[in-house]
């Protein structure tokens, strides 16, 4: 079945530490890929997106993500986490030919320790 | 900046009531979406609309209907609310061929 998997439900890191959030998808063709962030009580904000081209994409707030076709992955990274990064992060895909319906993963909740 | 607003942040309704959730966007976007968000399930698409008076079912349309009479406004209707519709509801919009969706702040609905 077509799906988006975020294997980590909760992650806790110390402020200043590096971060990697995992995302895997199972679609036949390369979909369009997104990472969104949801701060407490807020809607979702787009961090970055991948459609084609360079497989390392830069986003807002110092985030980047790397698309790896061989692993069907689109992991989100940040070299040094700030306390304000505590939020829930969602990976999403638009399947090839999927009009523009986003399919979301279950989300990863990030906690940041001082 | 694109702005997507939702009529209520919090709503409490009784079982069997008819519930209207309103969403308005100010960027002349063609596409509008309604999602529900539940812990451990992420966001699931209820309905979407790609033009005025046009609508398409998403992944979980049962128990819901929608209305889009004007381009900027997209309403989600719960004809007879049930407790299993207690959830966070998020509205989003996007421009024509763009896949980037802009989200409202959400409405947390409790059905008792």
């Amino acid at each position: 079945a077509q799906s988006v998997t975020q294997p980590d439900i909760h992650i806790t890191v110390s402020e200043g530490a590096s971060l990697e959030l995992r995302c895997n998808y199972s679609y036949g063709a390369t979909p369009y890929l997104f990472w969104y962030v949801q701060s407490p009580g807020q809607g979702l904000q787009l961090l970055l997106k991948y459609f084609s081209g360079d497989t390392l994409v830069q986003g807002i707030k110092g985030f980047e993500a790397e698309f790896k076709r061989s692993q069907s992955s689109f992991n989100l990274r940040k070299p040094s986490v700030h306390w304000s990064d505590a939020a829930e992060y969602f990976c999403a895909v638009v399947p090839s030919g999927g009009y523009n319906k986003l399919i979301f993963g279950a989300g990863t909740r990030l906690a940041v320790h001082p | 900046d694109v702005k997507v607003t939702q009529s209520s942040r919090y709503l409490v309704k009784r079982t069997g009531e008819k519930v209207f959730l309103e969403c308005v966007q100010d960027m002349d976007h063609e596409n509008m979406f309604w999602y529900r968000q539940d812990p451990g399930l992420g966001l699931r698409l209820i309905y979407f609309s790609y033009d005025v008076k046009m609508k398409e079912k998403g992944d979980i349309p049962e128990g819901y209907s929608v209305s889009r009479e004007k381009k900027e406004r997209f309403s989600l209707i719960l004809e007879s609310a049930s407790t299993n519709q207690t959830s966070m509801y998020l509205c989003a919009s996007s421009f024509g061929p763009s896949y980037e969706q802009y989200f409202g702040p959400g409405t947390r609905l409790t059905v008792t």
Side-chain angles (χ1 to χ4, degrees), chain B residues 2-84:
Chain B
V2 176
K3 191 155 187 183
V4 180
T5 57
Q6 296 183 228
S7 51
S8 305
R9 293 299 301 272
Y10 300 93
L11 210 52
V12 180
K13 296 291 182 180
R14 296 196 179 277
T15 302
E17 278 193 84
K18 191 169 186 176
V19 182
F20 292 87
L21 302 182
E22 303 286 336
C23 175
V24 177
Q25 50 93 3
D26 67 356
M27 283 301 292
D28 204 34
H29 283 174
E30 288 87 348
N31 309 309
M32 297 189 74
F33 307 82
W34 275 107
Y35 296 88
R36 65 176 282 174
Q37 180 181 9
D38 300 288
L41 297 177
L43 278 73
R44 293 177 292 166
L45 182 64
I46 304 172
Y47 268 95
F48 68 101
S49 168
Y50 51 88
D51 202 353
V52 175
K53 296 190 185 296
M54 306 300 288
K55 61 185 180 184
E56 293 282 345
K57 292 180 179 179
D59 300 315
I60 52 165
E62 297 78 18
Y64 304 95
S65 62
V66 290
S67 172
R68 193 165 180 202
E69 297 295 321
K70 294 184 178 181
K71 192 174 186 180
E72 68 271 17
R73 189 179 297 270
F74 192 36
S75 302
L76 180 69
I77 303 156
L78 288 65
E79 295 288 343
S80 178
S82 63
T83 54
N84 63 12

Side-chain angles (χ1 to χ4, degrees), chain A residues 32 34 36 38 41-46 49 51 88 90 94 98-107, chain B residues 9 31 33 35 37 40-43 45 48 50 57-59 90 94 96 98-101 103-105:
Chain A
Y32 301 131
F34 304 80
Y36 281 84
Q38 184 180 34
Q42 303 297 316
L44 275 69
Q45 180 183 22
L46 180 68
K49 60 191 175 188
F51 288 175
E88 189 154 23
F90 293 94
V94 174
Y99 188 59
N100 55 0
K101 293 167 57 176
L102 281 170
I103 311 297
F104 284 86
Chain B
R9 293 299 301 272
N31 309 309
F33 307 82
Y35 296 88
Q37 180 181 9
L41 297 177
L43 278 73
L45 182 64
F48 68 101
Y50 51 88
K57 292 180 179 179
D59 300 315
L90 290 163
S94 70
S98 165
Y99 297 95
E100 178 175 346
Q101 294 185 19
F103 284 82

